Amino acid sequence: MPDERGTDAADEDARLALAPAPDHAAGVPAVLSALRHADAEMGPLRSVRALARINQHDGFDCPGCAWPDPADPHHAEFCENGAKAVAEEATRRRADRDFFAAHTVEELTAQSDYWLGKRGRLTEPMLLDAGADRYRPVSWEDALGIVAEELCGLATPDEAVFYTSGRTSNEAAFLYQLFVRAFGTNNLPDCSNLCHESSGVALTETIGVGKGSVSLADVEGADLIFVVGQNPGTNHPRMLSALERAKRRGARIVAVNPLREAGLQRFKNPQRPLGALGRGTQLADVFLQIRLGGDLALFKALNRLLLDAERLAPGTVLDRAFLYERCEGLGPLTRELDALDWDDVDAATGLAREEIEATARLAAGAERIVVCWAMGLTQHRHSVPTIREVVNFLLLRGMIGRPGAGLCPVRGHSNVQGDRTMGIYEKPDAGFLARLGSEFGFAPPTHHGHDVVEAIRAMRDGRAHVFLAMGGNFLMAAPDTDATAAALRRQRLTVHVSTKLNRSHLVTGRRALILPTLGRTERDRQDSGEQFVTVEDSMSAVHSSRGRLVPASAHLRSEVAIVCGLAQRVLDGDARVRVDWPRLAGDYDRIRERIARVIPGFEDFNERVRRPGGFVLPHAPRDRRRFTTPSGRAQLTVNELEPLELPEGRLLLQTLRSHDQYNTTIYGLNDRYRGVTAGRRVVFVNAADLTALGLADGDVVDLVSEWRDGVERRAERFRAVAYDTPRGCAAAYYPETNPLVPLDSTAVGSNTPTSKSVVVRLVPRA
Ligand code: SF4
């Protein structure tokens, strides 16, 4: 039986080549790469049609990240990776019934994730019968019947898990959670559990809202921008244009990252001829090349220095009026910071004191500060306290609810924030459940459900028997791949609503179904005519997305149609729930009318979302400096520093994306911004650490992670690459390194896997 991770796949790294990493992002190479991918997948004509519609008011939302669109989009309002995301979805390749007839599941399992992703679009529902060696076509009726049979055969609804990936539209997400709650459970894990859950928890606790508090105009209007634990050049590339505009207005940028990412140094803007061909725009003015997990110590140190500066020049640094009128907790915080141990700061950050002091002086003198962050802050054991300390940093200076200032967690998936707003959450609040229940005439379950890690445990331990995923690649996105695979294999049925083939389709329950859905780029015709869906970006802007391309197959169904079809079969006209599923599936305006009555901020939804650019949801701290915390005040918090002791001969590994990757989708085998060509099994390590470990640049090693359960988690055959990162830190791509992340190693308070801090040893291969 081939290794289900696809590690045995034909050595795609045979032609691996390494070169010095560039010090800039984008430019002509980005344009050429985007066009090459588009032409290879879509051909010239479909490429022009598709690329002309990305992020346009009458077009479709990029299925990539959740960076907002400007009010007046450029005619080419997309980045290199946005073009790749569209090309992957709008590809001419097809994984149809002939393809599945020609390949057993075992043969497909032996292939790499890159190879699987390049098989093309799914064309019709496919079933893997119990004991069968390959998928076969099945009718939609029979497929939905099988799901209904298994779900209705469960002892309790809590024996089912309903996962959501962040590509799911608002309309589909709202109906999905309605169906799942009408079925009787809150088992609604989603990809947010794996990424920004720590942000949501920390922000809800401190300001009362689990979302960022800035607009695009705020980022461009700031005079000091922190980019922390984020690699925008690859993961949110259009953010570079916003940073460039801010720089042109005189802003300073502080980058905080263990890797000197090209997209944090200089930007060659392809939308400006001189930008693409010239030296480009310098971005980071200060680059704090911090140790992994050192951000809590850094922000505590900055906050201490702000207090010190205030003491030297009272009234010039802290926003005392804001602190006294709108916040609480300054006393305990001051005492905590006054007791700060600078040795702990030095050890945790690896930064020189002068660097931190210079940064604090910048912060003390700035008028409008924005802090942007991503996974580098959210996937550590102490991520929630770290983000709370970032909030302290901005509250001390009164930088919330002020133009040009605020909190900016940058979401990695196009509608991950929207899905949560629609109710995709395993811990729904009572108010939401009450409104949902009164709107649809039933009593939704109130007990909390499983998040991703808990769902894997429940499936592993036999407490869940049916797994259904709305999009995504659960197996490869989740931590502890072998444990997750074993959990999925224990299911009676695994179901994936997908656009393309991925490894989660190959590691299955006793029976498995693949339900092919329309892509974001494709026309969606229903009874009342052509439909559009809506999404919400990182800055709470809700806008429409209208598919424009001919669907890849006549057998595809929209996410909304699949959910409605399923609900009808499973709930079978359950009189308790007043939902006319066919009517909702036939006209999405009807869905939006119901959303408007259940979710605050969506009043007149249908009218407002038809305006160019849509509308922005309310955010009390941003709009009125009003904090919806229990006390009605913003919370300054005390966050204890827990120094991390790295055992001798061990490194702290962060998992990350290459530039030719989006989440678990592998677009290509290059990572242009880190000098890697034609390969993925590389581990970036500080040269002095390699020497100390008795290794040399280019040695082939296995990565072995260590965790208190004593289980040996191994990822094989990585090329050690001497790279510019602090001592003790290492980096390698996921999903290849997700097997190393222990299931039980999660962030305190958010249960997010600690994918940015995995203790590993490097074992030379003979
Ligand atoms: S920045 Fe993100 S949303 Fe925008 S085009 Fe690029 S990948 Fe798509």
Side-chain angles (χ1 to χ4, degrees):
M1 177 67 179
D3 167 355
E4 56 207 5
R5 301 178 197 164
T7 316
D8 301 338
D11 189 1
E12 281 174 346
D13 286 29
R15 293 178 303 105
L16 172 67
L18 300 159
D23 66 354
H24 64 276
V28 173
V31 177
L32 296 177
S33 168
L35 296 177
R36 228 188 352 262
H37 266 91
D39 184 53
E41 297 291 344
M42 301 186 281
L45 283 183
R46 193 170 168 82
S47 295
V48 171
R49 260 200 309 266
L51 296 181
R53 294 292 184 153
I54 306 180
N55 296 331
Q56 300 299 318
H57 289 324
D58 63 348
F60 49 81
D61 179 68
C62 169
C65 80
W67 187 255
D69 304 333
D72 178 19
H74 187 274
H75 61 269
E77 188 57 50
F78 56 87
C79 71
E80 174 190 348
N81 280 358
K84 292 174 191 168
V86 166
E88 288 282 319
E89 185 185 287
T91 177
R92 295 165 299 177
R93 305 170 206 252
R94 298 288 177 268
D96 56 16
R97 59 172 57 197
D98 297 341
F99 167 82
F100 284 100
H103 295 88
T104 65
V105 168
E106 186 170 340
E107 286 160 0
L108 294 173
T109 305
Q111 298 296 336
S112 73
D113 294 287
Y114 172 61
W115 185 92
L116 292 171
K118 291 295 179 187
R119 292 317 99 191
R121 292 289 303 275
L122 301 160
T123 60
E124 60 186 311
M126 300 301 292
L127 168 66
L128 183 68
D129 284 303
D133 69 350
R134 65 196 71 210
Y135 278 93
R136 65 173 177 82
V138 62
S139 71
W140 277 104
E141 286 325 296
D142 290 352
L144 298 180
I146 290 168
V147 182
E149 171 206 327
E150 291 285 1
L151 287 176
C152 299
L154 294 170
T156 85
D158 287 330
E159 292 182 350
V161 170
F162 299 90
Y163 175 74
T164 308
S165 107
R167 186 184 297 210
T168 306
S169 69
N170 284 339
E171 290 73 13
F174 182 74
L175 293 183
Y176 189 47
Q177 62 82 29
L178 173 61
F179 155 56
V180 171
R181 292 193 164 106
F183 176 65
T185 182
N186 283 312
N187 283 349
L188 284 158
D190 70 330
C191 62
S192 195
N193 297 153
L194 299 168
C195 63
H196 268 291
E197 196 69 58
S198 302
S199 306
V201 170
L203 297 185
T204 303
E205 190 185 320
T206 51
I207 65 170
V209 179
K211 299 179 178 183
S213 72
V214 297
S215 65
L216 196 49
D218 290 326
V219 174
E220 296 177 6
D223 62 359
L224 183 60
I225 302 170
F226 283 74
V227 183
V228 190
Q230 186 195 359
N231 177 19
T234 287
N235 302 332
H236 316 95
R238 283 185 302 149
M239 178 174 164
L240 302 191
S241 304
L243 294 178
E244 182 183 52
R245 285 191 283 271
K247 288 282 301 198
R248 287 170 164 265
R249 290 199 181 92
R252 311 292 298 276
I253 295 177
V254 176
V256 183
N257 201 303
L259 300 175
R260 298 188 76 85
E261 304 286 21
L264 293 170
Q265 299 182 56
R266 271 186 311 118
F267 171 46
K268 293 188 173 186
N269 187 343
Q271 290 177 343
R272 290 187 310 105
L274 286 183
L277 301 171
R279 271 191 52 71
T281 302
Q282 161 132 15
L283 295 177
D285 299 283
V286 175
F287 204 114
L288 301 178
Q289 203 169 358
I290 198 166
R291 285 205 174 110
L292 284 168
D295 308 275
L296 174 54
L298 170 65
F299 279 91
K300 288 190 77 163
L302 292 174
N303 291 341
R304 164 62 187 275
L305 292 166
L306 290 179
L307 291 182
D308 292 350
E310 173 71 11
R311 288 181 182 126
L312 290 174
T316 63
V317 178
L318 300 194
D319 185 335
R320 290 199 170 276
F322 173 73
L323 288 166
Y324 290 139
E325 289 158 19
R326 310 276 176 159
C327 304
E328 62 188 2
L330 182 59
L333 174 62
T334 303
R335 287 189 290 279
E336 168 72 12
L337 293 175
D338 284 346
L340 185 69
D341 181 332
W342 281 99
D343 293 342
D344 286 347
V345 172
D346 301 342
T349 63
L351 299 171
R353 190 77 56 81
E354 300 72 43
E355 292 179 282
I356 299 176
E357 289 167 349
T359 305
R361 284 192 293 275
L362 277 178
E367 291 301 316
R368 301 175 304 283
I369 304 175
V370 168
V371 178
C372 306
W373 72 86
M375 302 309 100
L377 280 197
T378 66
Q379 296 178 328
H380 293 273
R381 177 171 162 70
H382 52 273
S383 287
V384 172
T386 300
I387 295 161
R388 287 197 306 235
E389 199 65 35
V390 169
V391 175
N392 284 345
F393 175 67
L394 292 177
L395 291 177
L396 286 173
R397 300 258 21 248
M399 295 293 173
I400 297 192
R402 179 194 292 193
L407 298 152
C408 186
V410 186
R411 308 281 176 159
H413 220 318
S414 55
N415 199 38
V416 62
Q417 186 161 312
D419 293 340
R420 187 54 64 91
T421 303
M422 289 299 119
I424 300 289
Y425 189 29
E426 76 279 355
K427 304 184 185 69
D429 71 63
F432 169 78
L433 293 176
R435 291 188 302 274
L436 188 72
S438 77
E439 174 67 19
F440 294 100
F442 77 108
T446 54
H447 60 285
H448 286 176
H450 300 317
D451 62 19
V452 166
V453 167
E454 290 156 354
I456 296 168
R457 290 190 190 121
M459 292 190 283
R460 177 197 64 195
D461 303 341
R463 292 180 279 113
H465 304 300
V466 174
F467 174 83
L468 197 149
M470 183 60 75
N473 182 0
F474 186 82
L475 172 69
M476 302 313 278
D480 218 334
T481 313
D482 294 348
T484 304
L488 289 168
R489 289 200 182 288
R490 285 203 71 181
Q491 301 309 289
R492 296 174 192 159
L493 178 68
T494 49
V495 184
H496 295 272
V497 175
S498 303
T499 54
K500 299 183 69 181
L501 182 67
N502 65 50
R503 193 167 298 283
S504 294
H505 303 141
L506 308 176
V507 177
T508 71
R510 191 166 58 80
R511 288 196 289 180
L513 281 164
I514 305 175
L515 304 180
T517 189
L518 288 174
R520 183 84 58 73
T521 58
E522 293 170 323
R523 291 181 189 282
D524 179 356
R525 281 202 181 84
Q526 303 298 333
D527 296 352
S528 68
E530 226 172 80
Q531 308 295 319
F532 67 85
V533 294
T534 63
V535 293
E536 176 188 340
D537 63 33
S538 285
M539 296 178 184
S540 304
V542 177
H543 60 269
S544 66
S545 176
R546 185 183 290 277
R548 291 298 185 181
L549 303 181
V550 176
S553 155
H555 304 297
L556 303 182
R557 289 189 180 182
S558 72
E559 294 170 327
V560 165
I562 293 171
V563 171
C564 291
L566 200 51
Q568 277 181 274
R569 293 297 293 271
V570 173
L571 302 174
D572 195 15
D574 178 335
R576 286 173 311 121
V577 186
R578 289 195 310 270
V579 183
D580 182 344
W581 300 101
R583 185 161 179 269
L584 295 175
D587 183 351
Y588 298 2
D589 274 355
R590 305 288 81 78
I591 305 171
R592 288 184 280 270
E593 285 163 0
R594 311 305 288 268
I595 292 173
R597 290 204 287 269
V598 171
I599 301 177
F602 283 84
E603 300 72 20
D604 307 322
F605 189 1
N606 279 316
E607 185 265 323
R608 291 196 294 152
V609 82
R610 281 178 166 79
R611 297 173 193 160
F615 60 94
V616 177
L617 290 169
H619 188 291
R622 176 199 63 211
D623 305 337
R624 293 172 282 123
R625 298 189 125 187
R626 202 168 68 73
F627 298 97
T628 47
T629 55
S631 68
R633 287 175 168 267
Q635 301 297 304
L636 291 151
T637 53
V638 169
N639 303 294
E640 282 174 33
L641 205 48
E642 282 178 24
L644 174 79
E645 301 303 328
L646 206 54
E648 183 66 30
R650 304 304 188 259
L651 299 173
L652 197 60
L653 177 88
Q654 62 164 316
T655 68
L656 41 65
R657 292 183 197 172
S658 80
H659 188 60
D660 261 0
Q661 173 184 353
Y662 174 75
N663 282 345
T664 58
T665 302
I666 316 294
Y667 299 138
L669 300 175
N670 303 327
D671 187 2
R672 200 173 63 248
Y673 292 164
R674 300 194 185 101
V676 177
T677 305
R680 293 183 49 83
R681 302 189 84 83
V682 293
V683 57
F684 302 109
V685 182
N686 178 292
D689 282 331
L690 284 178
T691 307
L693 295 167
L695 295 167
D697 183 25
D699 283 357
V700 177
V701 298
D702 287 354
L703 308 181
V704 179
S705 75
E706 302 183 344
W707 181 244
R708 58 174 178 249
D709 61 4
V711 173
E712 179 169 284
R713 295 174 177 81
R714 182 181 288 260
E716 297 177 341
R717 289 200 315 278
F718 287 76
R719 173 105 161 245
V721 178
Y723 202 82
D724 181 6
T725 192
R727 292 293 305 264
C729 301
Y733 307 133
Y734 72 85
E736 290 86 347
T737 48
N738 280 350
L740 300 169
V741 184
L743 184 63
D744 300 331
S745 177
T746 61
V748 177
S750 66
N751 214 24
T752 293
T754 57
S755 305
K756 293 291 183 191
S757 48
V758 186
V759 177
V760 297
R761 68 178 191 274
L762 276 50
V763 181
R765 286 186 69 94

